[in-house]
Amino acid sequence: MSRLEENIQTGSGRRGLTNSQKKRRGTVIICTVSLVLLALLIAVFIILRDELAERMAAEREEAEIKAVLDVDTIYSNVYINDINVGGLTKEQALETVMSKVSTTLTERMITFRCDNFGYSRDFTFAELGVSYDFESAVEEAYEFGRENADIKQRYAEVMENKDRGKYLDAEWLFDNTKVDDCVQLVCDDLDKDPVNSEYIYENGSITITDSSSGWKVDKDRTAEMAKELLPIKRSADVMIVIEQIAPEFTKADFEFTSSTIGTYSSTYGTGNDDRITNLSVAASKLNEQVIMPGETFSTNECFSPYDEASGYKYAGAYVNGELVEDIGGGVCQVSSALYNAALLAELEITERYNHSKKVGYMDYAYDATLAGDVKDLKITNNTGYPVVIKAGLENGAVAVSIIGYEIHDSGRTLEFYNQKTNETDSTVTYELYKKVYENGSLVETVKINKSTYNTK
């Protein structure tokens, strides 16, 4: 039998299935498909259920993380100087640590002592300029758990910290100027200027006063010791560094034989009582003035004020080259006599001016004029010993003497002379010189001044 025939026979046999067979066969197919669909639905349900559970779990975790992290307070168990500031806002934390920790600054102190003087003075750390940087510490506490960009890592860090705790210390700050200010108060308490012996010439007698030592705190060294102790954060003592200051002049410096080291007299004319009164007032002001070693004496300051209350009268005086009536007119004769006495005493002349025109009582270049605050005769005592000026009117002359200690050898003598160096139609110029002799031999010639006068 051929394959075609077999196929025909087989096909004829299939068409031979009964209706019941066909129904059963259809039912099986339907059941199979239904079971497959059911299995698929169950699988989809399970997948959807698991996804929902995961999503709900993630949402719960996210909510829990947000509940922990999304707060405007410092996370739990964060400490500043052993004070728990967890759960507090930055403002609350700052107030808390300032109120509890700042007592350290007011209770601890540095005591500055000087046992030799029985002296001590306390300054609290706060007074010494110590402070806590609470603001930075609070900011650091607040930022803990917030620095990481990954929210889960932040959460893990915060939760882990609940067990171990985060401990921060506020940094100590130092204002060294406050330490210096406190040490200055110690200096104000202890510093004492030495008292020099004074050489007082009064009513013709000499009195030498007592001297005493002074004390001075070494401010820099004392302050440095305090600054080194503050970081230790404990109360402590600082031994004040203080030095004794000897007086510049003691009685021993002034116990010498006084002698006249320079004297000069300048005669004045009669007939002008007001001018003579001015000479007398100026001489009385000058009399018994003491110039200490190294001190510069101002003749203007001595003669001032030039007013009637001081006893001065109006008399002739050169003002801008013109002879006019002026209050105190004539006192330049006293200053000129003082100038010559100082030259003979070999004191240092630090300021001197000549008149605009030659005066009748003094040769060229020997005079010394005064003019308010503009022109003055200033003399510096360069002898190393005090000198006393004696001045007065004697036998129609202004007499000025300088009493002190003669520092030069006995064989030393002086000679002064003036010399004309230039002349014009309206002026003449003179120079004043000093010749110095030792035991009769000329050893030095010194130019003292150059003076130009109007002749018209």
Side-chain angles (χ1 to χ4, degrees):
M1 182 181 295
S2 66
R3 186 174 298 273
L4 178 60
E5 291 176 342
E6 289 179 358
N7 288 340
I8 293 172
Q9 288 181 359
T10 301
S12 299
R14 289 176 181 173
R15 285 194 296 270
L17 291 174
T18 65
N19 290 332
S20 60
Q21 289 176 330
K22 293 179 179 179
K23 287 181 180 180
R24 284 196 299 271
R25 187 176 182 181
T27 301
V28 170
I29 293 170
I30 291 171
C31 290
T32 301
V33 171
S34 297
L35 288 173
V36 171
L37 291 175
L38 179 60
L40 290 173
L41 288 173
I42 292 172
V44 169
F45 172 79
I46 292 173
I47 291 172
L48 292 176
R49 183 198 63 184
D50 291 345
E51 289 180 352
L52 178 62
E54 289 178 4
R55 185 165 62 250
M56 292 178 64
E59 289 177 352
R60 284 196 301 271
E61 181 182 13
E62 182 179 357
E64 182 180 347
I65 290 174
K66 286 185 177 180
V68 172
L69 299 183
D70 291 354
V71 294
D72 192 28
T73 57
I74 298 169
Y75 297 136
S76 61
N77 278 7
V78 178
Y79 295 80
I80 297 177
N81 287 48
D82 295 327
I83 298 172
N84 194 341
V85 295
L88 302 179
T89 65
K90 289 194 284 187
E91 292 76 12
Q92 292 170 337
L94 182 61
E95 182 179 353
T96 298
V97 295
M98 287 183 66
S99 63
K100 292 184 178 181
V101 180
S102 292
T103 55
T104 301
L105 305 179
T106 56
E107 293 176 354
R108 298 180 187 179
M109 61 189 61
I110 296 292
T111 300
F112 291 86
R113 293 174 45 199
C114 183
D115 294 343
N116 290 340
F117 286 72
Y119 174 88
S120 67
R121 183 163 180 174
D122 299 328
F123 293 98
T124 65
F125 282 11
E127 291 173 321
L128 290 164
V130 179
S131 62
Y132 283 100
D133 189 1
F134 291 130
E135 290 81 0
S136 296
V138 168
E139 190 63 33
E140 184 180 356
Y142 183 79
E143 289 300 320
F144 170 74
R146 290 180 167 87
E147 301 93 336
N148 201 316
D150 190 304
I151 191 170
K152 289 187 178 181
Q153 290 183 9
R154 287 177 53 197
Y155 178 73
E157 184 180 7
V158 170
M159 296 306 293
E160 182 181 357
N161 190 63
K162 284 187 175 181
D163 296 328
R164 65 183 183 186
K166 177 71 173 179
Y167 292 87
L168 304 172
D169 286 319
E171 181 184 2
W172 269 37
L173 303 177
F174 303 95
D175 182 354
N176 286 335
T177 61
K178 294 290 185 66
V179 176
D180 294 336
D181 291 342
C182 291
V183 175
Q184 182 58 57
L185 295 176
V186 173
C187 294
D188 294 342
D189 290 342
L190 294 177
D191 282 357
K192 177 186 175 184
D193 291 332
V195 176
N196 288 320
S197 290
E198 292 187 10
Y199 190 85
I200 301 174
Y201 187 92
E202 192 173 35
N203 298 324
S205 62
I206 296 172
T207 301
I208 302 175
T209 62
D210 292 327
S211 64
S212 61
S213 296
W215 300 92
K216 186 171 183 62
V217 173
D218 189 325
K219 182 178 178 180
D220 292 340
R221 290 176 60 191
T222 302
E224 189 61 33
M225 288 191 294
K227 294 171 186 177
E228 291 174 355
L229 288 173
L230 289 176
I232 301 174
K233 301 183 181 182
R234 295 195 300 267
S235 295
D237 290 352
V238 169
M239 303 307 296
I240 299 167
V241 181
I242 190 167
E243 299 175 354
Q244 185 176 9
I245 307 299
E248 187 177 2
F249 303 109
T250 65
K251 267 190 173 183
D253 296 319
F254 293 155
E255 290 174 349
F256 56 87
T257 302
S258 297
S259 60
T260 300
I261 59 176
T263 184
Y264 191 87
S265 293
S266 173
T267 58
Y268 55 84
T270 59
N272 189 336
D273 292 342
D274 289 342
R275 185 177 187 280
I276 295 174
T277 296
N278 292 337
L279 296 178
S280 177
V281 171
S284 65
K285 285 176 173 283
L286 185 60
N287 190 45
E288 298 186 352
Q289 289 287 333
V290 177
I291 310 177
M292 296 298 289
E295 182 182 0
T296 298
F297 173 81
S298 168
T299 308
N300 254 335
E301 290 181 6
C302 176
F303 288 178
S304 296
Y306 298 99
D307 54 28
E308 293 179 310
S310 298
Y312 288 115
K313 305 290 185 180
Y314 280 87
Y318 280 110
V319 178
N320 297 324
E322 298 294 331
L323 185 62
V324 299
E325 292 292 305
D326 193 21
I327 189 73
V331 297
C332 290
Q333 185 167 359
V334 182
S335 63
S336 294
L338 172 61
Y339 176 55
N340 283 270
L343 289 176
L344 290 165
E346 296 193 82
L347 300 181
E348 180 183 355
I349 308 301
T350 51
E351 185 176 340
R352 171 264 174 189
Y353 302 91
N354 60 276
H355 288 79
S356 56
K357 289 186 177 181
K358 182 182 181 302
V359 291
Y361 54 81
M362 201 69 64
D363 200 359
Y364 289 109
Y366 286 89
D367 60 320
T369 189
L370 304 175
D373 296 330
V374 180
K375 295 180 179 181
D376 195 1
L377 171 63
K378 291 184 178 180
I379 301 168
T380 299
N381 180 4
N382 57 352
T383 67
Y385 299 89
V387 298
V388 180
I389 302 173
K390 294 184 65 177
L393 304 187
E394 299 176 2
N395 302 318
V398 177
V400 177
S401 296
I402 297 177
I403 300 171
Y405 182 72
E406 181 56 71
I407 61 175
H408 300 104
D409 294 336
S410 58
R412 182 184 180 93
T413 57
L414 306 176
E415 177 187 346
F416 290 88
Y417 68 96
N418 60 1
Q419 177 177 308
K420 183 165 65 174
T421 58
N422 189 44
E423 185 172 7
T424 68
D425 291 341
S426 58
T427 64
V428 63
T429 299
Y430 276 81
E431 293 179 352
L432 182 64
Y433 290 88
K434 175 178 71 173
K435 287 184 176 182
V436 180
Y437 296 88
E438 291 184 1
N439 300 318
S441 298
L442 178 64
V443 295
E444 186 180 22
T445 300
V446 181
K447 179 181 173 180
I448 302 299
N449 71 53
K450 179 180 179 180
S451 303
T452 299
Y453 301 85
N454 297 322
T455 56
K456 292 184 179 180

